[in-house]
Structure formats: structure tokens, C-alpha cells
Amino acid sequence: MSSTANGTGANTPESQLESVLPIHPTAARRGNPIVVQSDLTSYSDDYITSKFTNRGADVSVVDGQYIVTPSAKQYEFQTARKVSKTGLMMVGWGGNNGSTLSATILANRHNIVWRTKNGTQQPNYIGSILRASTVRLGTDPATAKDIYVPISDVLPMVHPNDLVLGGWDISGARLDEAMKRAQVLDYDLQRQVAPYMAELGAPLPSIYYPDYIAANQEARADNVVPGTDKQAHLEHLRSDIRRFKQQHGLDRVIVFWTANTERYSDIIPGVNDSADNLLNAIRTSHAEVSPSTLFAVAAILEGEPFVNGAPQNTFVPGVIELAERTRSFIGGDDLKSGQTKLKSVFAEFLVNAGIKPLSIASYNHLGNNDGHNLSAEPQFKSKEISKSSVVDDMVAANPLLYAPAQPGAPKGTKAAKGEHPDHIVVIKYVPAVGDSKRAIDEYYSEIFCGGRSTINIFNECEDSLLATPLILDLTILAELLTRVQYRELSPPTAKASAGEFAPLYPVLSLLSYMLKAPLVKPGTDVVNSLNRQRNALEAFLKACIGLEGSSDLLLETRIW
């Protein structure tokens, strides 16, 4: 009997359309086309070194008057030019996101072209901010026209096609079978990419603690690391990472959680509130050590970046302290792909326009396994928290519209939080719609002199096809940021004194653009504004080549 009859897909005929179309611009390789000619930027075979002045202002309020003192600090950045050979180990590799990402990378790698009911489709990386969006470099002096380049060209970055794929899953389905189960990609693409997916094999056994995900996931859990000893599980995961890195000759491994949303872990003094307590809690197999936290600790102890693409509180205080101690990079939480990304733009638009949202009601339903897991209340609460916080900083920025928090007000009261729009989030599981998520948002606002405005937005999107490019962006940026070091030039500090470069702070808040509930340095404010997140990333990448951030002042167009 043929392997096709057995359903392996191993002898699926090669595409008759393969390589007929040129490589899509978002998947093309362009080398390193940008050279900055400035005394602030220098190039060697190994490094791009740049000087950057970080300008700000110190503000104090005295008797109602704002006293503003401009500030400027000089830094030097050093970026290693050699891109690491990078592996991506996904937790939840066999899920919708993991199987879709693997299949689309393979489709781009082999330039597999497929037919849909709308015609011929070629692979691409549309939806990736790095591969499919541009940044303004400056103007052409001859024409005065703006010059834009792909963000991925600003600094040497991993090409998605070069990522080495691997990971874990509680389901032992082979990757070609997982792709078929997900029902995300067009059939003709699945047919052609199946033999490449089959070569990836099955995911490694994963960690399964039934208390952390919905009971409806138990039927999928046929590929788990045995036992209940969490210290043994930690060592097992560390061994998996080391073996994967060695087998493929990798310089860097990014460990990425794209598995089911977990319930929140309780933060318990003496258990997960410090690095030492957390490590001890793992040794004693404490119930409040989640699978995602275990994966994060494994990556940190192996010196590899860990990114959390789900909303649970993986990064308990002990994890952050452990990352600080080992100088390992972490980032999260929760992929921001559709409704929340739009909300972070629209709420900011209303508040910045001087319009006061009184309530924001968000409803969505979907039918994929993510929706199935979120139908359980503890897992939904994790998602609700990450979705609900997205407008907080925009509201807090405008005390003209919203009464600010009252100092000394009892904790947990409205006065302690400050005035805020009523904000409700609803998620329902509707199997029939599969991966096609429907989202409805109503913005009810106060306008001029007591008037009211109601704006309704309906959004339909293919959930995994929006999320997958974000996983690529987060992975590529995490690798890049491991190659960037800095030192402060005026004045030097103990952590980055003159003459020596230091790595960036372990919490990678520069990843915020792709995340619903951005993890930031403890003690600093979370920025949810999509525009500010994008501007921060763009300004940082430019700083690494000695350029100032983009200015929309366009002064030359406004003066004689």
C-alpha cells in the first residue's frame, strides 16, 4: 500500500506551480543595504557601533506650575553583525499557531505556490511588522521625497526561512497531521507542504498539569513527560533544549509559549515571590508552579530567551528575579493580533481627540482549540485580564477627561484606580466558525456639551494567520536584542561603566507592539498605545545605527 493511502503525505506530488512566481518581497533576501555615513556610526567586520543621545525632560510641579528641565544622556550601542543560527522551540508546536507557522515557513522556504478559489496564491510574510512594514530613513535631497526601507533591513536580522523548528506538545500528532487538524490553511497548500511537515516529525513530550488548563484538553494529552516531580521535569526540559541546540549546531534557541492559556498562578510569599523561593518550590513540586513557568525557568537557566504568547502570569516575581540574576531575556504576555490591537488604536484616537469613552464592550467568538480551552472560567479570566488593561495608560494620560487616582484612597476602590470607562470582555466558543474569529466592539462616548456617540466595529479575522507573523517578529527581535549591548557615556554607571558594554535589561519591553499585556521592567509604567510602542521600536533600531527617531515636524516644509 502506498504511503499516500496510509495518509503520511510523504509522497505527495511536488507542486506544478512551484517557483513559477518570483519570491514575494516580504520573503526576499536583501543583505545589509543601509550604510550610515556619520561620525556617530562606525562599522567593523564584527560590529555596528553607534552613539546616541537620549533626550527627555524632568518635570516637577511647584504650586501648580510645571518646572521643566530638558535632559540628555549619551549612550553607545554595539550590535554584533553576525546573525545567530537560531532555533525556535515552540511549546504547543502541534497547535494551530505552531503548525501554521511551520507550514508557512516551509512554503516560503520552498516557494510553494498553490491554487485557491480566488486564483493562484504565493507564500509571503504579510502581517509581520519586520518583514512587511517599512520605516522612514530620511529624504532624497534631489527630490525631497521620503525614503522608506523594510524594518528588517535596518539591522542584520534572522530571515524567517532560516529558523530551525522544534518544540513540545501534549498531543503527539505528527506535524502534518496537526496541520490538517487545525484546518487553517488552504487544502492545496496543505497537500503540497505535507511531506515537508512529515519530515519535522512529532513534537517532544510536554508538561501537563491538568489543573492549569481546561478539562476539555485532556483528550489531547497523549504525549506528556511522566511523573509529578517538577524538578525532574525542569531537568528534562533543560536537556531537551541542550540536545536540540547541539543536534542542529545552533548559536541561539528561542523558547516560545504558544500553547493553551493557563489559569493564573497564586502569588504566594515564600513560594514564587523570589528566585530562590521559586527554585525551591520547583524542587518540592509546589502546586502553584505552572507548566509555563517551568518552561521559562528552563530557558532562563540555559541562557536562552523565553517569550510568553499567552495571557497567564507565567512571569511570577521569582521568574523576573531569576532572569535578572542570570541576565537571560524574557518577554510577554499574550499575542496582540486583532481586536485588542484595534482597541489600542481606537481608544487612543478618541481620548486624544478630546472625546471621552464612557464604556467599551468587547464580544468575540471563535471555534478553534484556543476558544475551546477559553470556554473554561479560570482560563477565560487570564484572557480577560490581558484584554481589559489595554486602555489604562491612555485614560491615565488625560486628567481633563478622567479624574485621576486619589492618593491615600483605600486599595481596590474606584478612587484608588481613578475614573475609568466601563470595560467588559466576552469570549464564547462556537465550533462552527473554526479559526475564523468574530469580534464586535461598541464604544459609547461623551461628546460636546452632554452629547453621546456610539461607534460599533465588526471584525472578522483568521486568528492563527494573524498570530503566526507575530511569533516570527517576537522570535526575530528576541534574537537581535541578544546581540545588542550598550554603555552610558555621560556619566558612566556601575552597570555600564565607560570602557565596557553591558547587555540590555532582561525584560524585553521593546516587544510590546506584538503583545496585549506587555511585560515591563518592575517599577515602570506599561505603555499600551500602539503608536508609542511602534515609535519606541523604530527609534531603538535607528539608535543602533546612529540615527535619531523619526520626526514628523518636517520643519523644512514649514519655514522659508
Side-chain angles (χ1 to χ4, degrees):
M1 185 177 293
S2 71
S3 57
T4 301
N6 286 330
T8 67
N11 68 344
T12 303
E14 293 185 3
S15 168
Q16 296 178 350
L17 297 172
E18 188 167 335
S19 301
V20 168
L21 297 177
I23 301 294
H24 192 274
T26 59
R29 297 179 187 271
R30 288 177 293 272
N32 300 306
I34 297 174
V35 176
V36 177
Q37 296 181 334
S38 166
D39 57 0
L40 300 177
T41 309
S42 63
Y43 296 85
S44 70
D45 291 340
D46 296 324
Y47 298 105
I48 300 172
T49 304
S50 64
K51 291 183 175 65
F52 174 75
T53 302
N54 189 42
R55 303 184 188 280
D58 298 325
V59 183
S60 58
V61 183
V62 180
D63 297 328
Q65 185 177 56
Y66 296 91
I67 310 300
V68 183
T69 305
S71 62
K73 288 186 177 180
Q74 289 188 319
Y75 294 88
E76 192 169 35
F77 292 104
Q78 187 181 74
T79 305
R81 303 184 71 173
K82 183 178 184 291
V83 176
S84 307
K85 184 178 181 182
T86 303
L88 170 59
M89 295 191 78
M90 289 170 278
V91 189
W93 190 19
N96 284 27
N97 289 343
S99 60
T100 300
L101 180 141
S102 301
T104 48
I105 284 179
L106 289 169
N108 275 284
R109 188 181 295 170
H110 298 284
N111 198 24
I112 296 174
V113 180
W114 66 99
R115 288 191 175 96
T116 73
K117 63 182 180 181
N118 297 317
T120 301
Q121 176 65 49
Q122 71 179 131
N124 57 60
Y125 287 114
I126 289 176
S128 161
I129 183 178
L130 299 180
R131 302 294 311 181
S133 72
T134 61
V135 59
R136 179 178 174 270
L137 271 187
T139 57
D140 183 336
T143 64
K145 298 294 184 183
D146 288 339
I147 301 296
Y148 293 86
V149 297
I151 294 182
S152 57
D153 288 359
V154 176
L155 287 168
M157 299 186 196
V158 176
H159 192 289
N161 289 5
D162 296 334
L163 290 171
V164 179
L165 302 174
W168 305 263
D169 203 286
I170 62 172
S171 168
R174 218 175 42 224
L175 265 293
D176 56 320
E177 297 165 346
M179 172 184 65
K180 181 179 179 181
R181 178 180 61 195
Q183 299 180 348
V184 173
L185 301 172
D186 289 324
Y187 167 74
D188 192 38
L189 173 56
Q190 290 191 44
R191 179 186 64 82
Q192 295 179 70
V193 82
Y196 300 108
M197 291 287 280
E199 290 175 2
L200 293 177
L204 296 167
S206 194
I207 306 299
Y208 176 56
Y209 303 150
D211 179 47
Y212 275 90
I213 60 176
N216 58 39
Q217 299 299 301
E218 185 176 0
R220 292 170 71 112
D222 60 6
N223 187 46
V224 301
V225 180
T228 58
D229 185 335
K230 295 187 177 182
Q231 181 65 38
H233 289 172
L234 174 63
E235 296 304 327
H236 185 102
L237 297 178
R238 294 185 64 181
S239 177
D240 284 344
I241 296 169
R242 287 195 299 268
R243 188 183 312 110
F244 182 76
K245 189 173 182 179
Q246 183 178 13
Q247 285 177 345
H248 297 283
L250 302 174
D251 305 310
R252 176 67 62 196
V253 174
I254 310 297
V255 180
F256 199 110
W257 182 276
T258 182
N260 282 319
T261 295
E262 299 173 333
R263 68 164 175 84
Y264 257 46
S265 297
D266 293 333
I267 306 300
I268 304 174
V271 173
N272 48 21
D273 58 339
S274 73
D276 290 333
N277 288 341
L278 176 60
L279 293 174
N280 185 63
I282 294 172
R283 282 192 291 270
T284 58
S285 299
H286 195 282
E288 289 306 308
V289 177
S290 68
S292 63
T293 293
L294 212 57
F295 275 97
V297 171
I300 289 168
L301 294 178
E302 290 300 316
E304 304 296 351
F306 179 88
V307 181
N308 178 32
Q312 70 274 346
N313 61 337
T314 298
F315 300 117
V316 295
V319 172
I320 296 175
E321 184 180 310
L322 185 64
E324 291 176 332
R325 179 187 297 177
T326 60
R327 295 198 169 191
S328 294
F329 293 112
I330 56 175
D333 296 307
D334 202 6
L335 299 175
K336 180 168 60 183
S337 59
Q339 184 182 49
T340 308
K341 183 173 285 187
L342 179 61
K343 187 182 297 183
S344 67
V345 173
F346 202 77
E348 183 181 32
F349 149 67
L350 291 172
V351 173
N352 285 351
I355 295 171
K356 182 179 181 179
L358 300 173
S359 67
I360 303 172
S362 297
Y363 165 87
N364 52 90
H365 66 260
L366 70 167
N368 59 18
N369 193 56
D370 183 37
H372 197 199
N373 181 63
L374 291 174
S375 63
E377 183 65 18
Q379 286 68 41
F380 165 70
K381 292 301 292 183
S382 294
K383 179 67 76 171
E384 182 182 36
I385 291 169
S386 74
K387 277 178 165 282
S388 298
S389 61
V390 70
V391 301
D392 288 353
D393 58 317
M394 301 161 219
V395 169
N398 194 331
L400 299 173
L401 297 179
Y402 297 97
Q406 298 299 314
K411 188 176 181 180
T413 64
K414 287 186 177 181
K417 183 179 180 181
E419 189 181 3
H420 202 273
D422 294 336
H423 191 182
I424 187 170
V425 176
V426 177
I427 302 174
K428 294 297 182 182
Y429 176 54
V430 182
V433 302
D435 204 60
S436 183
K437 181 167 70 175
R438 274 75 165 166
I440 303 170
D441 290 280
E442 178 188 272
Y443 298 83
Y444 179 61
S445 305
E446 179 181 348
I447 56 174
F448 189 55
C449 290
R452 294 294 186 267
S453 165
T454 302
I455 299 175
N456 289 292
I457 299 174
F458 178 80
N459 171 31
E460 180 181 345
C461 60
E462 293 178 273
D463 201 31
S464 299
L465 294 180
L466 286 178
T468 293
L470 303 185
I471 297 175
L472 291 174
D473 287 338
L474 289 162
T475 299
I476 293 166
L477 281 174
E479 186 282 328
L480 168 64
L481 295 176
T482 66
R483 292 184 282 116
V484 178
Q485 295 192 313
Y486 79 101
R487 61 181 175 183
E488 191 172 337
L489 299 180
S490 58
T493 66
K495 291 184 179 179
S497 59
E500 62 182 49
F501 285 93
L504 301 174
Y505 181 72
V507 174
L508 299 178
S509 56
L510 282 166
L511 306 181
S512 295
Y513 183 88
M514 284 73 69
L515 298 161
K516 284 189 184 77
L519 185 70
V520 299
K521 186 177 182 179
T524 60
D525 292 334
V526 176
V527 173
N528 284 299
S529 161
L530 199 70
N531 286 331
R532 290 184 65 193
Q533 291 170 343
R534 160 82 189 222
N535 289 343
L537 177 60
E538 179 181 314
F540 180 82
L541 296 177
K542 284 187 170 183
C544 289
I545 56 173
L547 298 180
E548 297 284 344
S550 292
S551 171
D552 291 324
L553 175 59
L554 302 178
L555 182 62
E556 64 275 10
T557 70
R558 308 183 197 284
I559 58 177
W560 287 102

mmCIF file of all heavy atoms in Angstrom, residues 200-215:
data_model
loop_
_atom_site.group_PDB
_atom_site.id
_atom_site.type_symbol
_atom_site.label_atom_id
_atom_site.label_comp_id
_atom_site.label_asym_id
_atom_site.label_seq_id
_atom_site.Cartn_x
_atom_site.Cartn_y
_atom_site.Cartn_z
ATOM 1 N N LEU A 200 9.381 16.905 9.693
ATOM 2 C CA LEU A 200 9.620 17.513 11.007
ATOM 3 C C LEU A 200 9.308 16.542 12.132
ATOM 4 O O LEU A 200 9.791 16.708 13.254
ATOM 5 C CB LEU A 200 8.762 18.777 11.167
ATOM 6 C CG LEU A 200 9.095 19.961 10.258
ATOM 7 C CD1 LEU A 200 8.102 21.095 10.484
ATOM 8 C CD2 LEU A 200 10.521 20.459 10.488
ATOM 9 N N GLY A 201 8.488 15.547 11.841
ATOM 10 C CA GLY A 201 8.167 14.537 12.840
ATOM 11 C C GLY A 201 7.122 15.018 13.824
ATOM 12 O O GLY A 201 6.290 15.880 13.521
ATOM 13 N N ALA A 202 7.158 14.462 15.022
ATOM 14 C CA ALA A 202 6.191 14.778 16.074
ATOM 15 C C ALA A 202 6.853 15.645 17.138
ATOM 16 O O ALA A 202 8.069 15.606 17.327
ATOM 17 C CB ALA A 202 5.648 13.491 16.697
ATOM 18 N N PRO A 203 6.073 16.431 17.880
ATOM 19 C CA PRO A 203 6.633 17.242 18.965
ATOM 20 C C PRO A 203 7.207 16.377 20.086
ATOM 21 O O PRO A 203 6.816 15.220 20.271
ATOM 22 C CB PRO A 203 5.431 18.046 19.472
ATOM 23 C CG PRO A 203 4.418 17.989 18.376
ATOM 24 C CD PRO A 203 4.634 16.666 17.703
ATOM 25 N N LEU A 204 8.120 16.962 20.840
ATOM 26 C CA LEU A 204 8.626 16.319 22.042
ATOM 27 C C LEU A 204 7.516 16.255 23.092
ATOM 28 O O LEU A 204 6.618 17.111 23.108
ATOM 29 C CB LEU A 204 9.803 17.109 22.606
ATOM 30 C CG LEU A 204 11.063 17.211 21.732
ATOM 31 C CD1 LEU A 204 12.004 18.272 22.297
ATOM 32 C CD2 LEU A 204 11.758 15.867 21.651
ATOM 33 N N PRO A 205 7.557 15.274 23.983
ATOM 34 C CA PRO A 205 6.573 15.240 25.072
ATOM 35 C C PRO A 205 6.650 16.517 25.906
ATOM 36 O O PRO A 205 7.723 17.045 26.176
ATOM 37 C CB PRO A 205 6.999 14.016 25.893
ATOM 38 C CG PRO A 205 7.764 13.154 24.929
ATOM 39 C CD PRO A 205 8.474 14.113 24.013
ATOM 40 N N SER A 206 5.473 17.005 26.316
ATOM 41 C CA SER A 206 5.403 18.264 27.047
ATOM 42 C C SER A 206 4.968 18.030 28.487
ATOM 43 O O SER A 206 4.696 16.907 28.908
ATOM 44 C CB SER A 206 4.446 19.229 26.342
ATOM 45 O OG SER A 206 4.594 20.540 26.843
ATOM 46 N N ILE A 207 4.903 19.120 29.238
ATOM 47 C CA ILE A 207 4.498 19.078 30.640
ATOM 48 C C ILE A 207 2.989 19.294 30.722
ATOM 49 O O ILE A 207 2.462 20.246 30.129
ATOM 50 C CB ILE A 207 5.227 20.165 31.460
ATOM 51 C CG1 ILE A 207 6.746 20.044 31.274
ATOM 52 C CG2 ILE A 207 4.839 20.073 32.931
ATOM 53 C CD1 ILE A 207 7.326 18.728 31.732
ATOM 54 N N TYR A 208 2.318 18.441 31.452
ATOM 55 C CA TYR A 208 0.856 18.527 31.551
ATOM 56 C C TYR A 208 0.441 18.441 33.011
ATOM 57 O O TYR A 208 0.610 17.409 33.652
ATOM 58 C CB TYR A 208 0.218 17.392 30.750
ATOM 59 C CG TYR A 208 -1.288 17.310 30.851
ATOM 60 C CD1 TYR A 208 -2.087 18.403 30.532
ATOM 61 C CD2 TYR A 208 -1.914 16.131 31.270
ATOM 62 C CE1 TYR A 208 -3.464 18.330 30.613
ATOM 63 C CE2 TYR A 208 -3.294 16.038 31.346
ATOM 64 C CZ TYR A 208 -4.072 17.152 31.025
ATOM 65 O OH TYR A 208 -5.445 17.071 31.104
ATOM 66 N N TYR A 209 -0.045 19.574 33.538
ATOM 67 C CA TYR A 209 -0.637 19.606 34.865
ATOM 68 C C TYR A 209 -2.114 19.957 34.663
ATOM 69 O O TYR A 209 -2.447 21.114 34.372
ATOM 70 C CB TYR A 209 0.039 20.646 35.757
ATOM 71 C CG TYR A 209 1.537 20.452 35.922
ATOM 72 C CD1 TYR A 209 2.388 21.532 36.125
ATOM 73 C CD2 TYR A 209 2.106 19.175 35.875
ATOM 74 C CE1 TYR A 209 3.757 21.364 36.276
ATOM 75 C CE2 TYR A 209 3.478 18.992 36.016
ATOM 76 C CZ TYR A 209 4.297 20.088 36.214
ATOM 77 O OH TYR A 209 5.665 19.905 36.346
ATOM 78 N N PRO A 210 -3.027 18.976 34.784
ATOM 79 C CA PRO A 210 -4.428 19.168 34.408
ATOM 80 C C PRO A 210 -5.100 20.367 35.073
ATOM 81 O O PRO A 210 -6.019 20.966 34.507
ATOM 82 C CB PRO A 210 -5.085 17.849 34.842
ATOM 83 C CG PRO A 210 -3.986 16.853 34.828
ATOM 84 C CD PRO A 210 -2.749 17.597 35.244
ATOM 85 N N ASP A 211 -4.631 20.751 36.238
ATOM 86 C CA ASP A 211 -5.258 21.845 36.966
ATOM 87 C C ASP A 211 -5.094 23.193 36.262
ATOM 88 O O ASP A 211 -5.845 24.134 36.530
ATOM 89 C CB ASP A 211 -4.643 21.927 38.376
ATOM 90 C CG ASP A 211 -5.223 23.065 39.196
ATOM 91 O OD1 ASP A 211 -6.453 23.203 39.210
ATOM 92 O OD2 ASP A 211 -4.449 23.815 39.821
ATOM 93 N N TYR A 212 -4.129 23.283 35.343
ATOM 94 C CA TYR A 212 -3.812 24.589 34.760
ATOM 95 C C TYR A 212 -4.548 24.902 33.467
ATOM 96 O O TYR A 212 -4.649 26.067 33.087
ATOM 97 C CB TYR A 212 -2.295 24.720 34.557
ATOM 98 C CG TYR A 212 -1.612 25.185 35.810
ATOM 99 C CD1 TYR A 212 -1.146 24.290 36.759
ATOM 100 C CD2 TYR A 212 -1.473 26.539 36.084
ATOM 101 C CE1 TYR A 212 -0.542 24.716 37.929
ATOM 102 C CE2 TYR A 212 -0.869 26.986 37.250
ATOM 103 C CZ TYR A 212 -0.416 26.060 38.171
ATOM 104 O OH TYR A 212 0.164 26.500 39.333
ATOM 105 N N ILE A 213 -5.027 23.916 32.751
ATOM 106 C CA ILE A 213 -5.774 24.165 31.522
ATOM 107 C C ILE A 213 -7.132 23.495 31.630
ATOM 108 O O ILE A 213 -7.394 22.716 32.552
ATOM 109 C CB ILE A 213 -5.014 23.704 30.267
ATOM 110 C CG1 ILE A 213 -4.710 22.204 30.314
ATOM 111 C CG2 ILE A 213 -3.734 24.513 30.097
ATOM 112 C CD1 ILE A 213 -4.048 21.688 29.035
ATOM 113 N N ALA A 214 -8.001 23.794 30.673
ATOM 114 C CA ALA A 214 -9.375 23.299 30.754
ATOM 115 C C ALA A 214 -9.415 21.775 30.697
ATOM 116 O O ALA A 214 -8.605 21.128 30.022
ATOM 117 C CB ALA A 214 -10.200 23.893 29.614
ATOM 118 N N ALA A 215 -10.410 21.206 31.390
ATOM 119 C CA ALA A 215 -10.574 19.745 31.405
ATOM 120 C C ALA A 215 -10.838 19.197 30.013
ATOM 121 O O ALA A 215 -10.527 18.028 29.729
ATOM 122 C CB ALA A 215 -11.709 19.369 32.358
#
